[in-house]
Amino acid sequence: MNLNCSSWQDYGMSIKHFAFAKFSEVTEDCFLLFTLILLMFLASVIGNALIVLTIWTSSVLHTPMYFFLANLSLLEIGYTCSVIPKMLQSLVSEARGISREGCATQMFFFILFAISECCLLAAMAFDRYMAICSPLHYAARMSRGVCAHLAMVSWGVGCMISLGQTNYIFSLNFCGPCEINHFFCDLPPILALACGDTSHNEAAVFVVTILCISSPFLLITASYGRILAAVLVMPSPEGRHKALSTCSSHLLIVTLFYGSGSVTYLRPKASHSPGVDKLLALFYTVVTSMLNPIIYSLRNKDVKAALRRTLSKKKVLTPSQ
């Protein structure tokens, strides 16, 4: 169903507001999805916040690996908070509209956190490579300054790409329809609403996606290729198991994040389906963010021990408050 955009256009026939398509005409379906997304959203925010708090308060975890993990959790919080609240409102409310500026802002932060996460996952793979393949030089080469620099580069690249892509897309003219057939202001559904030829914009999105998804992924693949080669020549089975166990959580996060992202943005345009795109969007915006703290806390003894200490301190402090 296309919405009437006549009241949302200025005299130049440029749309000033959009509206998200209704998920379903069945109210019960909308409330069911609302409940599921809300629960996953709360689990994601609380879980990632606990990871950040645990790493911040536990001196045992003040190492490069956990520094990057804290940054990853901060990115996940920003990632979900940039799109989920408006998504939840659109599911159960008739107020499904969003201004052009609001849509651009949502897209900016979504791209910022997504691209930054791609780069940060590559930095985390490099950290594991240095720890396993060059342990004698690890402390010197992965100093606090180097780690901070890698994190800042990740955030900086995300900011620049996000600013450029958002400005490029919203410099287009939107003359109708105004209904976004998606849960949030993602790149493909917004481009689909633009008037005129958008082939250059679609090419730019594809090139940026290739560079910002494939390049970090190649670095991750190269790092783990070297790690695997180093592990295979280790004489001790215990040493091999310990080395691989420090990488398993990161590899699982990489698989989930890159798998859903690649299917969404790198598959041919002709194969895009609104229903599939929405399902994938839910997966990489809320499901992977929710799984991040679960994977790292359940599979990491240090994090579990520090988390128990953090929670026990909270319980001790609560009665006195």
Side-chain angles (χ1 to χ4, degrees), residues 312-321:
S312 63
K313 288 178 183 177
K314 293 290 182 183
K315 290 178 182 178
V316 171
L317 291 174
T318 300
S320 63
Q321 294 173 351

Side-chain angles (χ1 to χ4, degrees), residues 6 34 39 70 109 141 171 186 211 217 235 259 291 296:
S6 58
F34 172 87
L39 291 174
F109 282 107
R141 293 180 180 176
S171 64
D186 202 359
L211 292 175
F217 185 73
L291 292 177
Y296 271 102

Side-chain angles (χ1 to χ4, degrees), residues 118-284:
C118 286
C119 298
L120 191 69
L121 288 172
M124 294 173 76
F126 177 72
D127 169 68
R128 291 298 83 209
Y129 159 72
M130 292 301 301
I132 295 172
C133 299
S134 188
L136 298 179
H137 303 96
Y138 178 70
R141 293 180 180 176
M142 295 301 294
S143 63
R144 287 188 178 183
V146 171
C147 293
H149 181 73
L150 289 173
M152 287 193 316
V153 168
S154 299
W155 287 82
V157 169
C159 186
M160 288 189 294
I161 296 297
S162 178
L163 189 61
Q165 283 291 304
T166 304
N167 182 67
Y168 194 31
I169 288 176
F170 280 91
S171 64
L172 295 169
N173 186 35
F174 296 90
C175 55
C178 63
E179 185 180 76
I180 304 171
N181 195 10
H182 206 52
F183 288 124
F184 62 95
C185 294
D186 202 359
L187 294 164
I190 296 299
L191 272 176
L193 300 180
C195 303
D197 183 19
T198 60
S199 58
H200 294 295
N201 301 83
E202 291 171 2
V205 170
F206 185 77
V207 169
V208 169
T209 302
I210 288 290
L211 292 175
C212 297
I213 291 182
S214 299
S215 298
F217 185 73
L218 288 175
L219 291 173
I220 293 170
T221 303
S223 296
Y224 277 106
R226 298 291 298 274
I227 289 172
L228 183 60
V231 168
L232 289 176
V233 299
M234 289 181 178
S236 155
E238 292 80 9
R240 290 194 295 269
H241 176 74
K242 183 178 180 180
L244 290 175
S245 65
T246 64
C247 304
S248 57
S249 298
H250 178 252
L251 273 175
L252 190 51
I253 293 294
V254 167
T255 302
L256 292 171
F257 183 79
Y258 275 94
S260 56
S262 299
V263 171
T264 301
Y265 296 105
L266 294 181
R267 76 183 194 274
K269 183 181 177 181
S271 66
H272 278 251
S273 164
V276 174
D277 288 345
K278 289 180 181 180
L279 184 63
L280 288 170
L282 287 177
F283 190 83
Y284 63 71

Side-chain angles (χ1 to χ4, degrees), residues 51-52 54-56 58-73 124 127-128 138 246 296 299-304 306:
I51 291 286
V52 174
T54 300
I55 293 172
W56 180 268
S58 178
S59 58
V60 178
L61 302 182
H62 290 177
T63 63
M65 182 173 74
Y66 297 112
F67 169 78
F68 289 125
L69 176 56
N71 272 269
L72 179 64
S73 293
M124 294 173 76
D127 169 68
R128 291 298 83 209
Y138 178 70
T246 64
Y296 271 102
R299 298 176 63 90
N300 191 298
K301 294 179 180 179
D302 293 335
V303 172
K304 284 193 290 187

Side-chain angles (χ1 to χ4, degrees), residues 14-25:
S14 178
I15 290 175
K16 295 302 181 184
H17 285 76
F18 299 97
F20 296 106
K22 196 169 185 179
F23 170 71
S24 173
E25 294 298 329

